Amino acid sequence: MKSVMILALFAFVAADTDYYVLDKIDLSKMENNIEELKILMDCILDKGACSDLYNSYKGVKSKNKMKLLILLALVSFVAAEEQLYSLQKIDLSNVGENIGEFKKFMDCLLDNGPCSEVYESYRVRVNESLQSSCGKCTPELKRFAVEFFDVLKKYLPQEYDDFLKKYDPENKYFDVFMAEVLKYKV
């Protein structure tokens, strides 16, 4: 989707009878570093220092400068798009045979025991995930959430209650969260 938006925006800027020879800007650099985009915009608007690369964009005529600024604003919007969680998959299919490992995961989530690097990566995202109805979760993580709560209720009901008390004591988020992730149940 990002690529399509960027290509459409470049077509919009390029669709003029005046042509410019401009040095290529590394958009992936701007996508990963919003400060770089700010430096370019400051350069074009004469609000800051310009590198040789960005200086070539200052010569664009006024009517095209507006198009360029629109392009840069939209690129910044695309670059600022929220990133989805990228977490290592935890296999819950054999929990009944290895309840001890699942218990370690729950001890980590409930701050009752040490956390492996993988378990910690989940623990630090629990609050935000619940409060945003898994807004940054991939479809795979939403399916995992459904499976996780099914397994948790079945094998560790006390920890299930403890989890809800810890992360949603006022019961403001869990029902909405579950409504969202259940859409992805297999």
Side-chain angles (χ1 to χ4, degrees):
M1 184 62 175
K2 286 183 184 181
S3 299
V4 172
M5 284 184 69
I6 290 172
L7 289 173
L9 294 171
F10 275 120
F12 171 73
V13 170
D16 197 352
T17 56
D18 295 331
Y19 296 97
Y20 299 93
V21 177
L22 301 171
D23 294 326
K24 182 180 175 187
I25 293 177
D26 182 3
L27 292 177
S28 64
K29 182 179 177 184
M30 288 185 188
E31 183 177 328
N32 297 323
N33 183 359
I34 202 75
E35 284 300 312
E36 193 64 31
L37 180 65
K38 184 181 179 324
I39 291 169
L40 173 59
M41 291 184 85
D42 285 348
C43 169
I44 291 171
L45 296 171
D46 295 320
K47 291 184 175 182
C50 295
S51 66
D52 291 338
L53 171 65
Y54 296 161
N55 205 30
S56 66
Y57 285 79
K58 285 179 71 172
V60 176
K61 291 182 184 174
S62 294
K63 97 177 184 188
N64 291 329
K65 192 175 278 191
M66 189 57 155
K67 286 183 178 181
L68 181 61
L69 290 173
I70 290 170
L71 170 69
L72 291 173
L74 290 171
V75 167
S76 68
F77 172 75
V78 171
E81 182 180 296
E82 289 187 85
Q83 298 296 312
L84 298 178
Y85 295 142
S86 177
L87 299 170
Q88 185 175 332
K89 186 170 173 21
I90 296 175
D91 183 12
L92 299 176
S93 62
N94 297 321
V95 169
E97 298 167 15
N98 190 5
I99 196 71
E101 191 60 33
F102 188 63
K103 178 82 169 104
K104 287 180 188 177
F105 182 38
M106 287 311 304
D107 285 346
C108 168
L109 294 179
L110 297 172
D111 295 323
N112 293 333
C115 294
S116 68
E117 189 174 319
V118 173
Y119 294 169
E120 177 69 10
S121 68
Y122 282 82
R123 189 188 66 74
V124 299
R125 290 171 176 84
V126 170
N127 276 326
E128 181 182 19
S129 295
L130 281 174
Q131 292 172 10
S132 70
S133 299
C134 223
K136 291 184 182 180
C137 298
T138 62
E140 181 181 16
L141 281 172
K142 290 177 182 182
R143 286 187 290 276
F144 172 82
V146 171
E147 184 181 8
F148 169 79
F149 285 108
D150 286 347
V151 167
L152 184 56
K153 270 196 262 187
K154 180 178 179 179
Y155 291 102
L156 300 173
Q158 182 58 53
E159 284 80 353
Y160 175 82
D161 291 340
D162 293 345
F163 182 92
L164 294 179
K165 286 176 191 167
K166 177 176 177 55
Y167 290 106
D168 193 14
E170 298 173 15
N171 196 25
K172 293 187 338 188
Y173 307 108
F174 188 72
D175 292 337
V176 177
F177 170 88
M178 286 306 295
E180 174 59 29
V181 298
L182 281 170
K183 296 174 187 175
Y184 294 84
K185 186 173 185 168
V186 183

